[in-house]
Amino acid sequence: RLVADHETYARIIAELGGRGNMEAESLRSICISAERSERIASSAHSSLGAPLGEGDLEALRELAERILKLYEYRRHLEDYLSALMEEVAPNLSRVAGSILAAKLVERAGGLRRLAMMPSSKIQLLGAEKALFRALRRGAKMPKHGLIFQHPLIHRSPKALRGKAARLLASKLALAARADAFTGAMMGDRLRDELERELRDLRKNR
C-alpha cells in the first residue's frame, strides 16, 4: 500500500491536490518518508487515469480538509476522555487504556456495576448477542467481547486469545474494584503482571 493510512491520504489531497503536483519533494514536506515519496510520485506520474477538472479537484480538497478536521476533533476528544478516565478510574485506565476503559464502564452501566461483575462477565461484555446465539443454537461460545480491542489480546496468537482474555479480564476486575471501592493505586502493577503472565503463556504454549 503506497499510503499508510487514511489521514495521510487526506493530507496529501488537501495540500497537493491532483496527481500533477505529486512531486517527491512536496510529499516529503508533509512528513512522508523519502522512499515512499518517490514511490507515490512515480505512481502518480505513470497513472493512466483521466485528469480531474478544477471543480472536481476543489471539491476533493474541501472534503479532505473536512476529514482532517474530524481527525483533529477525534484526537481532542480522546485527550479529554483520557484525562477524565485518569481521574475517575485510574487503575482501570492503566490496565485497559482510557478508551477501552470508558467503553467497559459505559457497557456495564457505571464503574460500580463493572466492579461488582465477575471477571468471566467482564470478559464477554459486548459479546452478549454472540453468547445468547451460542446458547440457543449450541454454537461455539465467544472468547471475548470489547476486551478484544486491547492490543495484548488482538496481537496474541489466535490459539491463545481465550486464555489471554481470561487473564486480562481478571486484572480488569481487580482494577475496577480498586477504583470503585478502595482507591488503592495498583494499575501499573496489574499491567506489569498481565504482560509477564502473557509472556509466560506464549513461552509455554
Side-chain angles (χ1 to χ4, degrees):
R1 191 161 63 170
L2 286 176
V3 180
D5 56 75
H6 296 136
E7 185 177 7
T8 302
Y9 187 86
R11 181 164 287 108
I12 291 172
I13 299 302
E15 297 196 18
L16 301 182
R19 66 172 183 258
N21 299 326
M22 302 292 172
E23 301 295 340
E25 185 176 348
S26 301
L27 290 162
R28 285 195 296 272
S29 71
I30 53 178
C31 300
I32 297 176
S33 69
E35 185 268 338
R36 194 177 291 270
S37 295
E38 294 289 347
R39 289 172 57 201
I40 294 172
S42 175
S43 179
H45 292 309
S46 63
S47 172
L48 298 177
L52 293 173
E54 283 301 318
D56 294 328
L57 279 174
E58 188 58 35
L60 285 174
R61 293 183 83 159
E62 183 179 343
L63 175 60
E65 288 168 0
R66 291 187 180 186
I67 291 171
L68 291 174
K69 287 179 181 177
L70 287 174
Y71 273 108
E72 186 61 34
Y73 182 55
R74 178 182 179 178
R75 279 190 286 270
H76 171 73
L77 286 179
E78 287 177 349
D79 290 343
Y80 167 75
L81 185 60
S82 294
L84 183 63
M85 290 303 295
E86 186 64 29
E87 180 180 343
V88 173
N91 291 300
L92 193 64
S93 296
R94 301 287 173 84
V95 178
S98 57
I99 304 299
L100 178 55
K103 289 180 180 180
L104 290 168
V105 170
E106 186 275 333
R107 191 75 180 194
L111 178 59
R112 189 178 180 87
R113 293 186 69 175
L114 180 67
M116 296 176 71
M117 288 181 178
S119 62
S120 58
K121 188 168 184 179
I122 293 174
Q123 181 179 341
L124 296 178
L125 268 181
E128 291 83 3
K129 288 184 179 179
L131 175 62
F132 294 144
R133 185 166 56 247
L135 292 173
R136 281 199 311 269
R137 302 177 184 175
K140 193 173 182 180
M141 297 286 284
K143 296 178 180 178
H144 36 60
L146 285 170
I147 64 172
F148 179 73
Q149 298 172 23
H150 196 289
L152 293 178
I153 303 301
H154 69 245
R155 292 176 188 168
S156 292
K158 192 171 183 179
L160 296 180
R161 283 179 188 164
K163 292 180 180 178
R166 283 194 293 276
L167 286 174
L168 173 58
S170 68
K171 304 303 181 187
L172 292 173
L174 292 172
R177 289 164 194 162
D179 287 330
F181 303 125
T182 69
M185 292 302 296
M186 60 173 64
D188 290 333
R189 176 173 62 81
L190 291 172
R191 175 80 183 211
D192 291 342
E193 288 177 0
L194 174 64
E195 291 175 351
R196 185 179 66 252
E197 290 168 11
L198 286 175
R199 283 196 300 270
D200 292 341
L201 183 64
R202 293 189 185 103
K203 287 178 183 176
N204 299 326
R205 58 180 298 192

